[in-house]
């Protein structure tokens, strides 16, 4: 394939690849990358927040390099591959005359810079979106069983990258509904499903925890036009940068002259409209819409080489955008050049400060799946995130990391403490204190289940049944536990909490038996807050803050 690429193309590509490698090596990890590095320490077919592709990339990188490059190398490879795949999707016979325009167009896209060296779930999502479209284009020209199988494998890789990759598949299908009657297309679907079976099994074994979290349990906010809908349009600009008027102009002016162009248009408009509608319900994160960069790059290039005005201005503004982005990239390494303190600044410093005080003592961070893996990455020491009712569940809630700190002397770190045995400033200048706990013990995997109803009527004063399941390998003395009634608003934000008195259904129960369920009776506390939406029961062990033990039950 490379012998079909012009020398000038390879020169641009090589320069970008080397730049990304250098940036990956010199730039400290961002918190999400540290979290995905943590994923890779225990490879599995799924994780709390995402499918496993990002963990696989980090793991492969770690076999080749240490440090930051040991997290990011495969991301640099895939991001380079995006340029090649995009180039092969362009049919214009004289495209070799516009190599510089091609690179200016793609390299000026803001998040294409970021995902050029950062390794996040969106990194493989972008690559496999491009590869899926390339294979689909070949499939349209001459379908075969080989292309069907390849299409299926790529679709599975897409879904192993990020769940909303399903939008790519759906909108391409909607652009060509005749695929429903195409036997080759069905072969691709079957292959994709077979490849995805291990993740389906993981979801089943883990009670579909990522699906439940993303669809039902994720906290939200009351609708705010500026933050939600207006913020969404700002994101549509941010992913492209200063060249956005000409790229969206290309989208508007392009007509569906063939099935492949129609697929690009459906994918672009489909994602834009889908998240526009979603913006009336929740705040849309910028990276959620990054997949439109792939079809927009193709549509914009095909448009600009036929439109002199667009070609001239997009090239000029694209170079300006690249200069700004390169300046910001230097600022990611050299903090004084960046307009604000960012996640890539100061992580080694705060980790070093804390480690110098506690040594090899394990550190338990209160409510921080961000600080815990960052500390482990740069210190090489054990850490854990203990999540309570004021936070959210994450990978630390479902894996075996709790076992590594049980019954050990730990340092318990929180930003809500006023004093402690140790202290440090994080990279955003927040002061954290830590106190030593000689024999740490937590039971955050205890599950609390309220009765059998999906709703609770606040007007009724009947006793409620509380089932407490103990998944641990040892019995847990009930005297170590306290129970709390937690009221949330309609956006799943904690509004009120009240201790509850529980009575075992069977008398003389002293312990929660291992791998068994104990039934209690309790009275629903009367809340003082109005317009509540949900209720759940949290469990506190050994005086720690109440955990995220129960699911949200709707109130009426």
């Amino acid at each position: 394939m490379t012998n079909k690429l012009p020398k000038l193309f390879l020169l641009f590509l090589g320069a970008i690849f080397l730049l990304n490698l250098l940036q990956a090596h010199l730039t400290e990890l961002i918190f999400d990358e540290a979290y995905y590095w943590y994923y890779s320490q225990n490879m599995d077919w799924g994780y709390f927040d995402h499918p496993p592709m990002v963990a696989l990339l980090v793991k492969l990188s770690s076999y080749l390099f240490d440090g930051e490059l040991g997290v990011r190398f495969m991301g640099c490879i895939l991001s380079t591959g995006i340029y090649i795949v995009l180039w092969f999707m362009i049919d214009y016979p004289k495209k070799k005359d516009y190599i510089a325009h091609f690179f200016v167009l793609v390299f000026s896209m803001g998040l294409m810079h970021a995902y050029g060296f950062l390794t996040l779930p969106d990194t493989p999502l972008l690559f496999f979106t491009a590869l899926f479209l390339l294979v689909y284009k070949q499939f349209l020209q001459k379908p075969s069983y080989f292309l069907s199988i390849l299409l299926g494998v790529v679709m599975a890789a897409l879904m192993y990258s990020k769940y909303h990759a399903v939008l790519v598949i759906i909108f391409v299908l909607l652009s060509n509904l005749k695929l429903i009657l195409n036997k080759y297309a069905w072969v691709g679907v079957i292959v994709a499903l077979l490849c995805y079976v291990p993740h389906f099994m993981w979801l089943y074994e883990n009670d579909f925890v990522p699906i439940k979290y993303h669809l039902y349990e994720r906290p939200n906010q009351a609708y705010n036009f500026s933050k939600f809908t207006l913020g969404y349009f700002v994101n549509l600009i941010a992913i492209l940068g200063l060249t956005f008027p000409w790229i969206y102009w290309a989208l508007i002016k392009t007509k569906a002259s063939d099935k492949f162009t129609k697929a690009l248009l459906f994918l672009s408009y489909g994602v834009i409209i889908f998240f526009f509608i979603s913006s009336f319900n929740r705040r849309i994160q910028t990276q959620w819409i990054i997949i439109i960069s792939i079809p927009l790059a193709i549509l914009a290039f095909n448009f600009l080489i036929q439109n002199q005005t667009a070609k001239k201005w997009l090239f000029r503004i694209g170079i300006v955008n690249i200069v700004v982005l390169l300046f910001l990239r230097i600022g990611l390494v050299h903090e004084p050049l960046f307009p604000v303190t960012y996640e890539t600044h100061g992580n080694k410093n705060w980790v070093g400060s804390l480690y110098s005080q506690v040594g090899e003592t394990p550190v338990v961070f209160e409510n921080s799946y961000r600080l815990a893996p960052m500390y482990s990455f740069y210190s090489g020491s054990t850490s854990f995130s203990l999540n309570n009712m004021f936070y959210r569940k994450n990978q630390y809630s479902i894996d075996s990391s709790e076992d590594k700190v049980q019954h050990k002397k730990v340092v318990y770190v929180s930003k809500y403490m006023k004093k402690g045995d140790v202290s440090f400033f994080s990279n955003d200048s927040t002061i954290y204190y830590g106190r030593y706990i000689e024999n740490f013990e937590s039971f955050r995997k205890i599950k609390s289940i309220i009765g059998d109803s999906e709703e609770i009527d606040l007007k009724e004063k009947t006793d409620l049944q509380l089932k407490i399941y103990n998944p641990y390998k040892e019995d847990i003395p009930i005297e170590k536990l306290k129970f709390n009634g937690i009221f949330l608003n309609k956006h799943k934000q904690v509004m009120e909490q009240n201790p509850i008195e529980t009575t075992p259904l069977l008398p003389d129960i002293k312990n929660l038996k291992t791998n068994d369920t104990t039934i209690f009776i309790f009275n629903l506390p009367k809340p003082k807050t109005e317009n509540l939406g949900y209720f759940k029961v949290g469990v506190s062990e050994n005086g720690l803050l109440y955990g995220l033990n129960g699911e949200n039950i709707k109130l009426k």
Side-chain angles (χ1 to χ4, degrees), residues 173-374:
L173 172 62
L174 289 176
S175 74
N176 186 8
L177 290 176
K178 290 183 178 180
L179 289 172
I180 296 174
L181 303 176
N182 188 309
K183 65 178 181 179
Y184 295 107
W186 277 106
V187 170
V189 171
I190 293 170
V191 169
L193 291 174
L194 288 174
C195 291
Y196 213 59
V197 163
H199 186 64
F200 283 133
M201 293 176 64
W202 181 90
L203 287 171
Y204 177 77
E205 292 168 357
N206 288 272
D207 199 26
F208 297 93
V209 64
I211 309 300
K212 287 183 177 180
Y213 172 72
H214 288 299
L215 293 183
Y216 306 114
E217 297 177 2
R218 195 176 191 133
N220 200 1
Q221 303 173 13
Y223 177 72
N224 180 301
F225 174 77
S226 297
K227 291 183 179 180
F228 285 37
T229 306
L230 183 60
Y232 170 64
F233 285 108
V234 173
N235 287 341
L236 285 173
I237 295 173
I239 62 171
L240 300 177
L242 299 175
T243 57
F244 79 92
W246 293 275
I247 294 178
Y248 286 122
W249 182 25
L251 173 64
I252 294 169
K253 298 295 289 184
T254 301
K255 305 300 180 184
S257 56
D258 54 73
K259 289 181 179 179
F260 182 67
T261 303
K262 187 177 180 182
L264 299 178
L265 291 171
F266 264 66
L267 179 53
S268 301
Y269 282 117
V271 171
I272 291 171
I273 293 170
F274 176 86
F275 284 112
F276 170 69
I277 295 171
S278 300
S279 74
F280 291 97
N281 175 258
R282 64 177 61 250
R283 191 171 184 173
I284 305 301
Q285 297 181 20
T286 311
Q287 67 269 22
W288 291 356
I289 54 177
I290 185 63
I291 48 178
I292 66 172
S293 299
I294 300 300
L296 287 180
I298 304 168
L299 294 172
F301 182 80
N302 286 333
F303 178 75
L304 73 87
I305 56 181
Q306 301 178 58
N307 186 294
Q308 291 299 319
T309 301
K311 181 172 61 177
K312 178 178 66 176
W313 282 105
L314 197 147
F315 190 79
R316 292 174 177 175
I317 300 301
I319 290 176
V320 173
N321 209 46
I322 289 171
V323 171
V324 172
L325 290 169
L326 289 175
F327 178 81
L328 292 175
R329 287 178 66 156
I330 296 172
L332 292 177
V333 180
H334 186 58
E335 184 176 351
L337 292 180
F338 209 75
V340 295
T341 298
Y342 188 59
E343 295 179 24
T344 61
H345 303 138
N347 289 309
K348 290 181 180 179
N349 290 335
W350 73 257
V351 170
S353 174
L354 179 57
Y355 184 76
S356 68
Q357 298 174 72
V358 305
E360 292 299 319
T361 305
V363 180
V364 175
F365 291 88
E366 179 184 272
N367 290 350
S368 189
Y369 72 90
R370 292 158 60 88
L371 296 185
M374 189 70 79

